[in-house]
Amino acid sequence: MGTQFRRLKEEIESCRDDMVRLASDSTLANHQVLEISQRLDHLLNEFSHYKK
């Protein structure tokens, strides 16, 4: 359980970093930024459910 939790947290941080990097190089409306944002939302929802 602990390893999966850490892996999820690391994936969230990586996804967040990717989104910020892409958004700073383009716009928030960029297709790739939107895809990563959706992925991040999914990961955050998973994290929230996992903590319960």
Side-chain angles (χ1 to χ4, degrees), residues 8-46:
L8 183 57
K9 285 175 58 174
E10 289 171 2
E11 194 172 349
I12 288 169
E13 288 303 317
S14 175
C15 191
R16 183 178 290 140
D17 291 344
D18 290 345
M19 186 179 71
V20 169
R21 182 182 45 77
L22 275 172
S24 68
D25 291 341
S26 61
T27 68
L28 292 176
N30 178 293
H31 180 69
Q32 287 179 310
V33 174
L34 294 174
E35 284 181 359
I36 292 176
S37 176
Q38 291 173 345
R39 174 72 178 143
L40 180 58
D41 286 344
H42 174 76
L43 291 169
L44 290 171
N45 286 335
E46 245 185 88

